[in-house]
Amino acid sequence: MRIVILGSGTGSNAEAILKSSAEGQLDGTEVVGVFSDVEDSNILKHSKVYNVPAIYLDPGSQNSIITQELEENWIQEIKSLNPDLIVLAGFMRILSKKILLEFNYKVINLHPSLLPSFPGLHSIEKAFNKKVKITGCTVHWVNEEIDEGEIIAQVPVRIMNSDDLELVKQKVHAAEHMLLPWVIRDLANGTISFLK
Ligand code: GRF
């Protein structure tokens, strides 16, 4: 299974995938490229360490979409790597229907809450401020709506009364770093099915 990762920031989840892969835990998979809309992002730096092609592509705008003029470029560049699965790991853009169709909706996203609770931005802060006692992270199929696609897998994280926000963030991120490689492994070995 050929995997392409898209991300905009720190890249700790891309690193978790690359590390699991390097340790031989993701049989039958290969990360064939990492793309970012942010030229100096750490996600691109991590990928180079693992000798995976790290590609910056201009999104053409500051807002949450890739401009129509540059969208075709994104499609062609990703297509050239012939991916079976696209993994959004901290990618801060909304993919258009056109892009999703080009890749048959074989796109998954990682989100730092137990969806459908706390979609959108700042989910960990929102859960913490709401004083929920259990939060977590979700991997879901991507559709045209933000954080709305079918849920694939989740990991719960307890919030103790003594936890501060920083600790909750650390716990959620640690859960994410386990969950995303697990889902990729299970998609590759058939334990989890692709959408029909
Ligand atoms: C993660 O918390 C993920 O759930 C969210 O963005 C963050 C990306 O972190 N979508 P990183 O860039 O992988 O470190």
Side-chain angles (χ1 to χ4, degrees):
M1 190 172 77
R2 295 170 64 82
I3 298 166
V4 157
I5 303 174
L6 269 54
S8 305
T10 320
S12 65
N13 288 284
E15 195 181 17
I17 296 167
L18 292 163
K19 188 164 176 283
S20 297
S21 177
E23 289 170 354
Q25 292 167 23
L26 300 179
D27 272 357
T29 74
E30 184 189 357
V31 180
V32 292
V34 175
F35 290 84
S36 183
D37 56 332
V38 179
E39 198 162 12
D40 61 353
S41 55
N42 276 327
I43 191 170
L44 294 181
K45 291 174 193 150
H46 288 316
S47 314
K48 285 179 194 152
V49 171
Y50 285 88
N51 290 323
V52 170
I55 303 137
Y56 161 71
L57 291 180
D58 184 0
S61 80
Q62 293 305 313
N63 64 26
S64 58
I65 56 160
I66 297 165
T67 62
Q68 269 185 354
E69 301 84 71
L70 291 168
E71 193 171 62
E72 195 54 37
N73 186 39
W74 279 75
I75 290 170
Q76 292 315 321
E77 289 281 340
I78 297 172
K79 257 192 172 170
S80 72
L81 296 178
N82 200 20
D84 302 300
L85 179 72
I86 296 177
V87 177
L88 307 186
F91 189 59
M92 300 307 286
R93 309 260 166 186
I94 299 164
L95 295 183
S96 69
K97 183 168 186 169
K98 182 171 185 328
I99 296 187
L100 292 171
L101 273 170
E102 289 283 351
F103 297 101
N104 291 323
Y105 289 81
K106 291 185 173 172
V107 184
I108 60 174
N109 180 48
L110 173 67
H111 184 79
S113 74
L114 291 179
L115 290 171
S117 294
F118 310 114
L121 296 174
H122 311 301
S123 307
I124 303 176
E125 286 88 335
K126 286 180 195 161
F128 180 80
N129 291 337
K130 205 68 181 163
K131 301 198 181 331
V132 299
K133 302 304 171 208
I134 301 176
T135 186
C137 54
T138 301
V139 175
H140 65 92
W141 293 107
V142 173
N143 63 16
E144 291 83 3
E145 312 297 326
I146 297 172
D147 302 329
E148 280 284 333
E150 187 174 312
I151 291 170
I152 300 172
Q154 296 181 305
V155 168
V157 169
R158 281 187 75 185
I159 301 182
M160 310 305 284
N161 289 339
S162 55
D163 288 356
D164 62 11
L165 176 59
E166 203 41 51
L167 183 56
V168 177
K169 284 184 180 174
Q170 280 176 25
K171 293 201 289 194
V172 172
H173 292 316
E176 290 187 310
H177 298 159
M178 293 188 296
L179 177 63
L180 194 51
W182 285 346
V183 169
I184 290 169
R185 179 200 62 198
D186 285 355
L187 279 166
N189 68 24
T191 308
I192 298 174
S193 303
F194 278 81
L195 285 178
K196 296 276 180 293

PDB file of all heavy atoms in Angstrom, residues 94-127:
ATOM      1  N   ILE A  94      -8.729  22.439   3.525  1.00  0.00           N
ATOM      2  CA  ILE A  94      -9.882  21.588   3.219  1.00  0.00           C
ATOM      3  C   ILE A  94      -9.706  21.081   1.793  1.00  0.00           C
ATOM      4  O   ILE A  94      -9.473  21.868   0.870  1.00  0.00           O
ATOM      5  CB  ILE A  94     -11.186  22.408   3.329  1.00  0.00           C
ATOM      6  CG1 ILE A  94     -11.342  22.933   4.759  1.00  0.00           C
ATOM      7  CG2 ILE A  94     -12.389  21.571   2.909  1.00  0.00           C
ATOM      8  CD1 ILE A  94     -12.352  24.056   4.889  1.00  0.00           C
ATOM      9  N   LEU A  95      -9.804  19.760   1.607  1.00  0.00           N
ATOM     10  CA  LEU A  95      -9.664  19.209   0.259  1.00  0.00           C
ATOM     11  C   LEU A  95     -10.992  19.335  -0.485  1.00  0.00           C
ATOM     12  O   LEU A  95     -12.049  19.002   0.051  1.00  0.00           O
ATOM     13  CB  LEU A  95      -9.236  17.740   0.326  1.00  0.00           C
ATOM     14  CG  LEU A  95      -7.851  17.470   0.921  1.00  0.00           C
ATOM     15  CD1 LEU A  95      -7.531  15.981   0.855  1.00  0.00           C
ATOM     16  CD2 LEU A  95      -6.762  18.267   0.211  1.00  0.00           C
ATOM     17  N   SER A  96     -10.924  19.798  -1.720  1.00  0.00           N
ATOM     18  CA  SER A  96     -12.143  19.979  -2.519  1.00  0.00           C
ATOM     19  C   SER A  96     -12.688  18.627  -2.961  1.00  0.00           C
ATOM     20  O   SER A  96     -11.967  17.616  -2.969  1.00  0.00           O
ATOM     21  CB  SER A  96     -11.825  20.810  -3.760  1.00  0.00           C
ATOM     22  OG  SER A  96     -11.016  20.039  -4.627  1.00  0.00           O
ATOM     23  N   LYS A  97     -13.946  18.654  -3.388  1.00  0.00           N
ATOM     24  CA  LYS A  97     -14.572  17.437  -3.919  1.00  0.00           C
ATOM     25  C   LYS A  97     -13.764  16.905  -5.102  1.00  0.00           C
ATOM     26  O   LYS A  97     -13.600  15.694  -5.264  1.00  0.00           O
ATOM     27  CB  LYS A  97     -16.004  17.769  -4.348  1.00  0.00           C
ATOM     28  CG  LYS A  97     -16.758  16.585  -4.850  1.00  0.00           C
ATOM     29  CD  LYS A  97     -18.222  16.865  -5.002  1.00  0.00           C
ATOM     30  CE  LYS A  97     -18.901  15.558  -5.362  1.00  0.00           C
ATOM     31  NZ  LYS A  97     -20.320  15.588  -5.295  1.00  0.00           N
ATOM     32  N   LYS A  98     -13.235  17.825  -5.919  1.00  0.00           N
ATOM     33  CA  LYS A  98     -12.461  17.410  -7.092  1.00  0.00           C
ATOM     34  C   LYS A  98     -11.253  16.554  -6.677  1.00  0.00           C
ATOM     35  O   LYS A  98     -11.020  15.487  -7.236  1.00  0.00           O
ATOM     36  CB  LYS A  98     -12.000  18.665  -7.848  1.00  0.00           C
ATOM     37  CG  LYS A  98     -11.229  18.398  -9.099  1.00  0.00           C
ATOM     38  CD  LYS A  98     -11.050  19.730  -9.831  1.00  0.00           C
ATOM     39  CE  LYS A  98     -10.411  19.691 -11.152  1.00  0.00           C
ATOM     40  NZ  LYS A  98      -9.465  18.870 -11.621  1.00  0.00           N
ATOM     41  N   ILE A  99     -10.526  17.035  -5.661  1.00  0.00           N
ATOM     42  CA  ILE A  99      -9.345  16.274  -5.212  1.00  0.00           C
ATOM     43  C   ILE A  99      -9.777  14.934  -4.630  1.00  0.00           C
ATOM     44  O   ILE A  99      -9.201  13.885  -4.946  1.00  0.00           O
ATOM     45  CB  ILE A  99      -8.525  17.071  -4.170  1.00  0.00           C
ATOM     46  CG1 ILE A  99      -7.963  18.352  -4.797  1.00  0.00           C
ATOM     47  CG2 ILE A  99      -7.405  16.207  -3.595  1.00  0.00           C
ATOM     48  CD1 ILE A  99      -7.009  19.134  -3.914  1.00  0.00           C
ATOM     49  N   LEU A 100     -10.823  14.951  -3.804  1.00  0.00           N
ATOM     50  CA  LEU A 100     -11.275  13.693  -3.181  1.00  0.00           C
ATOM     51  C   LEU A 100     -11.691  12.682  -4.245  1.00  0.00           C
ATOM     52  O   LEU A 100     -11.356  11.494  -4.157  1.00  0.00           O
ATOM     53  CB  LEU A 100     -12.427  13.970  -2.210  1.00  0.00           C
ATOM     54  CG  LEU A 100     -12.034  14.778  -0.958  1.00  0.00           C
ATOM     55  CD1 LEU A 100     -13.284  15.183  -0.169  1.00  0.00           C
ATOM     56  CD2 LEU A 100     -11.083  13.990  -0.066  1.00  0.00           C
ATOM     57  N   LEU A 101     -12.405  13.157  -5.277  1.00  0.00           N
ATOM     58  CA  LEU A 101     -12.832  12.273  -6.366  1.00  0.00           C
ATOM     59  C   LEU A 101     -11.633  11.691  -7.117  1.00  0.00           C
ATOM     60  O   LEU A 101     -11.618  10.513  -7.462  1.00  0.00           O
ATOM     61  CB  LEU A 101     -13.719  13.047  -7.344  1.00  0.00           C
ATOM     62  CG  LEU A 101     -15.214  13.094  -7.015  1.00  0.00           C
ATOM     63  CD1 LEU A 101     -15.916  14.086  -7.932  1.00  0.00           C
ATOM     64  CD2 LEU A 101     -15.840  11.709  -7.106  1.00  0.00           C
ATOM     65  N   GLU A 102     -10.625  12.540  -7.354  1.00  0.00           N
ATOM     66  CA  GLU A 102      -9.418  12.077  -8.066  1.00  0.00           C
ATOM     67  C   GLU A 102      -8.788  10.883  -7.361  1.00  0.00           C
ATOM     68  O   GLU A 102      -8.188  10.024  -7.987  1.00  0.00           O
ATOM     69  CB  GLU A 102      -8.376  13.190  -8.146  1.00  0.00           C
ATOM     70  CG  GLU A 102      -8.733  14.327  -9.074  1.00  0.00           C
ATOM     71  CD  GLU A 102      -8.535  13.973 -10.539  1.00  0.00           C
ATOM     72  OE1 GLU A 102      -7.964  12.897 -10.832  1.00  0.00           O
ATOM     73  OE2 GLU A 102      -8.972  14.771 -11.390  1.00  0.00           O
ATOM     74  N   PHE A 103      -8.901  10.865  -6.026  1.00  0.00           N
ATOM     75  CA  PHE A 103      -8.268   9.782  -5.266  1.00  0.00           C
ATOM     76  C   PHE A 103      -9.300   8.829  -4.662  1.00  0.00           C
ATOM     77  O   PHE A 103      -9.021   8.139  -3.681  1.00  0.00           O
ATOM     78  CB  PHE A 103      -7.324  10.386  -4.205  1.00  0.00           C
ATOM     79  CG  PHE A 103      -6.203  11.164  -4.836  1.00  0.00           C
ATOM     80  CD1 PHE A 103      -6.239  12.551  -4.896  1.00  0.00           C
ATOM     81  CD2 PHE A 103      -5.149  10.503  -5.453  1.00  0.00           C
ATOM     82  CE1 PHE A 103      -5.229  13.267  -5.525  1.00  0.00           C
ATOM     83  CE2 PHE A 103      -4.133  11.209  -6.082  1.00  0.00           C
ATOM     84  CZ  PHE A 103      -4.171  12.598  -6.121  1.00  0.00           C
ATOM     85  N   ASN A 104     -10.494   8.821  -5.289  1.00  0.00           N
ATOM     86  CA  ASN A 104     -11.550   7.872  -4.884  1.00  0.00           C
ATOM     87  C   ASN A 104     -11.862   7.903  -3.394  1.00  0.00           C
ATOM     88  O   ASN A 104     -12.191   6.868  -2.807  1.00  0.00           O
ATOM     89  CB  ASN A 104     -11.173   6.442  -5.277  1.00  0.00           C
ATOM     90  CG  ASN A 104     -11.196   6.269  -6.764  1.00  0.00           C
ATOM     91  OD1 ASN A 104     -12.054   6.838  -7.433  1.00  0.00           O
ATOM     92  ND2 ASN A 104     -10.234   5.535  -7.290  1.00  0.00           N
ATOM     93  N   TYR A 105     -11.702   9.063  -2.793  1.00  0.00           N
ATOM     94  CA  TYR A 105     -12.003   9.233  -1.354  1.00  0.00           C
ATOM     95  C   TYR A 105     -11.154   8.305  -0.473  1.00  0.00           C
ATOM     96  O   TYR A 105     -11.546   8.007   0.653  1.00  0.00           O
ATOM     97  CB  TYR A 105     -13.502   9.023  -1.079  1.00  0.00           C
ATOM     98  CG  TYR A 105     -14.356  10.165  -1.612  1.00  0.00           C
ATOM     99  CD1 TYR A 105     -14.721  10.217  -2.951  1.00  0.00           C
ATOM    100  CD2 TYR A 105     -14.783  11.193  -0.773  1.00  0.00           C
ATOM    101  CE1 TYR A 105     -15.496  11.260  -3.448  1.00  0.00           C
ATOM    102  CE2 TYR A 105     -15.563  12.240  -1.256  1.00  0.00           C
ATOM    103  CZ  TYR A 105     -15.910  12.260  -2.593  1.00  0.00           C
ATOM    104  OH  TYR A 105     -16.672  13.301  -3.068  1.00  0.00           O
ATOM    105  N   LYS A 106     -10.010   7.870  -0.985  1.00  0.00           N
ATOM    106  CA  LYS A 106      -9.134   7.029  -0.160  1.00  0.00           C
ATOM    107  C   LYS A 106      -8.231   7.948   0.665  1.00  0.00           C
ATOM    108  O   LYS A 106      -7.000   7.972   0.515  1.00  0.00           O
ATOM    109  CB  LYS A 106      -8.343   6.078  -1.041  1.00  0.00           C
ATOM    110  CG  LYS A 106      -9.263   5.043  -1.647  1.00  0.00           C
ATOM    111  CD  LYS A 106      -8.559   3.995  -2.431  1.00  0.00           C
ATOM    112  CE  LYS A 106      -9.578   2.939  -2.827  1.00  0.00           C
ATOM    113  NZ  LYS A 106      -9.127   1.951  -3.721  1.00  0.00           N
ATOM    114  N   VAL A 107      -8.884   8.711   1.507  1.00  0.00           N
ATOM    115  CA  VAL A 107      -8.210   9.751   2.285  1.00  0.00           C
ATOM    116  C   VAL A 107      -8.682   9.644   3.730  1.00  0.00           C
ATOM    117  O   VAL A 107      -9.887   9.616   3.991  1.00  0.00           O
ATOM    118  CB  VAL A 107      -8.564  11.161   1.744  1.00  0.00           C
ATOM    119  CG1 VAL A 107      -7.780  12.238   2.495  1.00  0.00           C
ATOM    120  CG2 VAL A 107      -8.325  11.264   0.236  1.00  0.00           C
ATOM    121  N   ILE A 108      -7.721   9.566   4.662  1.00  0.00           N
ATOM    122  CA  ILE A 108      -8.091   9.534   6.086  1.00  0.00           C
ATOM    123  C   ILE A 108      -7.508  10.754   6.790  1.00  0.00           C
ATOM    124  O   ILE A 108      -6.508  11.326   6.361  1.00  0.00           O
ATOM    125  CB  ILE A 108      -7.620   8.239   6.789  1.00  0.00           C
ATOM    126  CG1 ILE A 108      -6.102   8.061   6.731  1.00  0.00           C
ATOM    127  CG2 ILE A 108      -8.324   7.028   6.187  1.00  0.00           C
ATOM    128  CD1 ILE A 108      -5.579   6.868   7.551  1.00  0.00           C
ATOM    129  N   ASN A 109      -8.173  11.140   7.883  1.00  0.00           N
ATOM    130  CA  ASN A 109      -7.731  12.295   8.656  1.00  0.00           C
ATOM    131  C   ASN A 109      -7.649  11.917  10.127  1.00  0.00           C
ATOM    132  O   ASN A 109      -8.435  11.114  10.618  1.00  0.00           O
ATOM    133  CB  ASN A 109      -8.729  13.444   8.485  1.00  0.00           C
ATOM    134  CG  ASN A 109      -8.314  14.687   9.265  1.00  0.00           C
ATOM    135  OD1 ASN A 109      -7.166  15.117   9.197  1.00  0.00           O
ATOM    136  ND2 ASN A 109      -9.238  15.262  10.029  1.00  0.00           N
ATOM    137  N   LEU A 110      -6.709  12.544  10.802  1.00  0.00           N
ATOM    138  CA  LEU A 110      -6.545  12.369  12.246  1.00  0.00           C
ATOM    139  C   LEU A 110      -7.080  13.616  12.932  1.00  0.00           C
ATOM    140  O   LEU A 110      -6.755  14.737  12.530  1.00  0.00           O
ATOM    141  CB  LEU A 110      -5.055  12.202  12.546  1.00  0.00           C
ATOM    142  CG  LEU A 110      -4.645  12.166  14.007  1.00  0.00           C
ATOM    143  CD1 LEU A 110      -5.172  10.903  14.689  1.00  0.00           C
ATOM    144  CD2 LEU A 110      -3.123  12.217  14.120  1.00  0.00           C
ATOM    145  N   HIS A 111      -7.882  13.413  13.979  1.00  0.00           N
ATOM    146  CA  HIS A 111      -8.466  14.567  14.675  1.00  0.00           C
ATOM    147  C   HIS A 111      -8.295  14.400  16.193  1.00  0.00           C
ATOM    148  O   HIS A 111      -8.561  13.310  16.723  1.00  0.00           O
ATOM    149  CB  HIS A 111      -9.953  14.690  14.320  1.00  0.00           C
ATOM    150  CG  HIS A 111     -10.565  15.905  14.929  1.00  0.00           C
ATOM    151  ND1 HIS A 111     -10.393  17.169  14.396  1.00  0.00           N
ATOM    152  CD2 HIS A 111     -11.302  16.065  16.046  1.00  0.00           C
ATOM    153  CE1 HIS A 111     -11.012  18.042  15.154  1.00  0.00           C
ATOM    154  NE2 HIS A 111     -11.569  17.413  16.165  1.00  0.00           N
ATOM    155  N   PRO A 112      -7.923  15.475  16.899  1.00  0.00           N
ATOM    156  CA  PRO A 112      -7.602  15.319  18.326  1.00  0.00           C
ATOM    157  C   PRO A 112      -8.797  15.456  19.275  1.00  0.00           C
ATOM    158  O   PRO A 112      -8.747  16.202  20.257  1.00  0.00           O
ATOM    159  CB  PRO A 112      -6.578  16.439  18.555  1.00  0.00           C
ATOM    160  CG  PRO A 112      -6.996  17.516  17.624  1.00  0.00           C
ATOM    161  CD  PRO A 112      -7.562  16.811  16.407  1.00  0.00           C
ATOM    162  N   SER A 113      -9.880  14.744  18.970  1.00  0.00           N
ATOM    163  CA  SER A 113     -10.995  14.631  19.925  1.00  0.00           C
ATOM    164  C   SER A 113     -11.754  13.365  19.575  1.00  0.00           C
ATOM    165  O   SER A 113     -11.501  12.749  18.528  1.00  0.00           O
ATOM    166  CB  SER A 113     -11.949  15.832  19.845  1.00  0.00           C
ATOM    167  OG  SER A 113     -12.747  15.752  18.679  1.00  0.00           O
ATOM    168  N   LEU A 114     -12.684  13.009  20.431  1.00  0.00           N
ATOM    169  CA  LEU A 114     -13.564  11.878  20.116  1.00  0.00           C
ATOM    170  C   LEU A 114     -14.727  12.429  19.308  1.00  0.00           C
ATOM    171  O   LEU A 114     -15.745  12.849  19.860  1.00  0.00           O
ATOM    172  CB  LEU A 114     -14.063  11.218  21.414  1.00  0.00           C
ATOM    173  CG  LEU A 114     -13.018  10.462  22.242  1.00  0.00           C
ATOM    174  CD1 LEU A 114     -13.652   9.895  23.513  1.00  0.00           C
ATOM    175  CD2 LEU A 114     -12.350   9.355  21.443  1.00  0.00           C
ATOM    176  N   LEU A 115     -14.569  12.439  17.996  1.00  0.00           N
ATOM    177  CA  LEU A 115     -15.659  12.923  17.141  1.00  0.00           C
ATOM    178  C   LEU A 115     -16.892  12.054  17.374  1.00  0.00           C
ATOM    179  O   LEU A 115     -16.761  10.879  17.669  1.00  0.00           O
ATOM    180  CB  LEU A 115     -15.229  12.869  15.664  1.00  0.00           C
ATOM    181  CG  LEU A 115     -14.159  13.881  15.264  1.00  0.00           C
ATOM    182  CD1 LEU A 115     -13.658  13.599  13.847  1.00  0.00           C
ATOM    183  CD2 LEU A 115     -14.664  15.317  15.365  1.00  0.00           C
ATOM    184  N   PRO A 116     -18.126  12.591  17.287  1.00  0.00           N
ATOM    185  CA  PRO A 116     -18.430  13.914  16.738  1.00  0.00           C
ATOM    186  C   PRO A 116     -18.297  15.076  17.732  1.00  0.00           C
ATOM    187  O   PRO A 116     -18.681  16.187  17.404  1.00  0.00           O
ATOM    188  CB  PRO A 116     -19.889  13.752  16.291  1.00  0.00           C
ATOM    189  CG  PRO A 116     -20.454  12.737  17.235  1.00  0.00           C
ATOM    190  CD  PRO A 116     -19.334  11.793  17.521  1.00  0.00           C
ATOM    191  N   SER A 117     -17.748  14.826  18.925  1.00  0.00           N
ATOM    192  CA  SER A 117     -17.527  15.948  19.847  1.00  0.00           C
ATOM    193  C   SER A 117     -16.331  16.773  19.381  1.00  0.00           C
ATOM    194  O   SER A 117     -15.328  16.214  18.926  1.00  0.00           O
ATOM    195  CB  SER A 117     -17.233  15.441  21.256  1.00  0.00           C
ATOM    196  OG  SER A 117     -18.351  14.804  21.785  1.00  0.00           O
ATOM    197  N   PHE A 118     -16.428  18.053  19.534  1.00  0.00           N
ATOM    198  CA  PHE A 118     -15.346  19.007  19.305  1.00  0.00           C
ATOM    199  C   PHE A 118     -14.683  18.914  17.926  1.00  0.00           C
ATOM    200  O   PHE A 118     -13.469  18.703  17.811  1.00  0.00           O
ATOM    201  CB  PHE A 118     -14.290  18.879  20.411  1.00  0.00           C
ATOM    202  CG  PHE A 118     -14.885  18.908  21.796  1.00  0.00           C
ATOM    203  CD1 PHE A 118     -14.836  17.796  22.628  1.00  0.00           C
ATOM    204  CD2 PHE A 118     -15.541  20.042  22.256  1.00  0.00           C
ATOM    205  CE1 PHE A 118     -15.413  17.807  23.885  1.00  0.00           C
ATOM    206  CE2 PHE A 118     -16.125  20.065  23.523  1.00  0.00           C
ATOM    207  CZ  PHE A 118     -16.065  18.949  24.327  1.00  0.00           C
ATOM    208  N   PRO A 119     -15.471  19.051  16.850  1.00  0.00           N
ATOM    209  CA  PRO A 119     -14.861  19.140  15.511  1.00  0.00           C
ATOM    210  C   PRO A 119     -14.176  20.502  15.343  1.00  0.00           C
ATOM    211  O   PRO A 119     -14.313  21.371  16.202  1.00  0.00           O
ATOM    212  CB  PRO A 119     -16.064  19.012  14.572  1.00  0.00           C
ATOM    213  CG  PRO A 119     -17.209  19.551  15.371  1.00  0.00           C
ATOM    214  CD  PRO A 119     -16.924  19.210  16.818  1.00  0.00           C
ATOM    215  N   GLY A 120     -13.478  20.665  14.240  1.00  0.00           N
ATOM    216  CA  GLY A 120     -12.866  21.973  13.939  1.00  0.00           C
ATOM    217  C   GLY A 120     -11.568  22.187  14.692  1.00  0.00           C
ATOM    218  O   GLY A 120     -10.918  21.226  15.119  1.00  0.00           O
ATOM    219  N   LEU A 121     -11.229  23.466  14.853  1.00  0.00           N
ATOM    220  CA  LEU A 121      -9.936  23.822  15.455  1.00  0.00           C
ATOM    221  C   LEU A 121     -10.003  23.809  16.991  1.00  0.00           C
ATOM    222  O   LEU A 121     -11.091  23.875  17.568  1.00  0.00           O
ATOM    223  CB  LEU A 121      -9.522  25.221  15.000  1.00  0.00           C
ATOM    224  CG  LEU A 121      -9.256  25.381  13.491  1.00  0.00           C
ATOM    225  CD1 LEU A 121      -9.009  26.849  13.148  1.00  0.00           C
ATOM    226  CD2 LEU A 121      -8.067  24.515  13.057  1.00  0.00           C
ATOM    227  N   HIS A 122      -8.838  23.743  17.618  1.00  0.00           N
ATOM    228  CA  HIS A 122      -8.677  23.876  19.079  1.00  0.00           C
ATOM    229  C   HIS A 122      -9.508  22.860  19.865  1.00  0.00           C
ATOM    230  O   HIS A 122     -10.086  23.179  20.908  1.00  0.00           O
ATOM    231  CB  HIS A 122      -9.023  25.300  19.519  1.00  0.00           C
ATOM    232  CG  HIS A 122      -8.335  26.353  18.698  1.00  0.00           C
ATOM    233  ND1 HIS A 122      -6.963  26.439  18.595  1.00  0.00           N
ATOM    234  CD2 HIS A 122      -8.834  27.331  17.899  1.00  0.00           C
ATOM    235  CE1 HIS A 122      -6.642  27.424  17.780  1.00  0.00           C
ATOM    236  NE2 HIS A 122      -7.749  27.984  17.338  1.00  0.00           N
ATOM    237  N   SER A 123      -9.565  21.650  19.352  1.00  0.00           N
ATOM    238  CA  SER A 123     -10.435  20.630  19.957  1.00  0.00           C
ATOM    239  C   SER A 123      -9.992  20.229  21.360  1.00  0.00           C
ATOM    240  O   SER A 123     -10.831  19.951  22.212  1.00  0.00           O
ATOM    241  CB  SER A 123     -10.438  19.384  19.074  1.00  0.00           C
ATOM    242  OG  SER A 123     -10.772  19.760  17.777  1.00  0.00           O
ATOM    243  N   ILE A 124      -8.687  20.161  21.574  1.00  0.00           N
ATOM    244  CA  ILE A 124      -8.219  19.734  22.905  1.00  0.00           C
ATOM    245  C   ILE A 124      -8.581  20.808  23.936  1.00  0.00           C
ATOM    246  O   ILE A 124      -9.086  20.510  25.021  1.00  0.00           O
ATOM    247  CB  ILE A 124      -6.695  19.452  22.899  1.00  0.00           C
ATOM    248  CG1 ILE A 124      -6.369  18.402  21.830  1.00  0.00           C
ATOM    249  CG2 ILE A 124      -6.228  18.997  24.276  1.00  0.00           C
ATOM    250  CD1 ILE A 124      -4.886  18.100  21.654  1.00  0.00           C
ATOM    251  N   GLU A 125      -8.368  22.067  23.576  1.00  0.00           N
ATOM    252  CA  GLU A 125      -8.729  23.179  24.479  1.00  0.00           C
ATOM    253  C   GLU A 125     -10.227  23.159  24.766  1.00  0.00           C
ATOM    254  O   GLU A 125     -10.654  23.343  25.908  1.00  0.00           O
ATOM    255  CB  GLU A 125      -8.389  24.539  23.845  1.00  0.00           C
ATOM    256  CG  GLU A 125      -6.916  24.869  23.810  1.00  0.00           C
ATOM    257  CD  GLU A 125      -6.232  24.332  22.550  1.00  0.00           C
ATOM    258  OE1 GLU A 125      -6.728  23.342  21.952  1.00  0.00           O
ATOM    259  OE2 GLU A 125      -5.187  24.882  22.182  1.00  0.00           O
ATOM    260  N   LYS A 126     -11.021  22.923  23.701  1.00  0.00           N
ATOM    261  CA  LYS A 126     -12.477  22.937  23.886  1.00  0.00           C
ATOM    262  C   LYS A 126     -12.906  21.829  24.849  1.00  0.00           C
ATOM    263  O   LYS A 126     -13.741  22.049  25.725  1.00  0.00           O
ATOM    264  CB  LYS A 126     -13.184  22.758  22.536  1.00  0.00           C
ATOM    265  CG  LYS A 126     -13.136  23.991  21.651  1.00  0.00           C
ATOM    266  CD  LYS A 126     -13.875  23.673  20.352  1.00  0.00           C
ATOM    267  CE  LYS A 126     -13.599  24.680  19.264  1.00  0.00           C
ATOM    268  NZ  LYS A 126     -13.922  24.150  17.926  1.00  0.00           N
ATOM    269  N   ALA A 127     -12.346  20.651  24.681  1.00  0.00           N
ATOM    270  CA  ALA A 127     -12.698  19.525  25.573  1.00  0.00           C
ATOM    271  C   ALA A 127     -12.270  19.835  27.000  1.00  0.00           C
ATOM    272  O   ALA A 127     -13.016  19.610  27.959  1.00  0.00           O
ATOM    273  CB  ALA A 127     -12.031  18.247  25.075  1.00  0.00           C
TER     274      ALA A 127
END
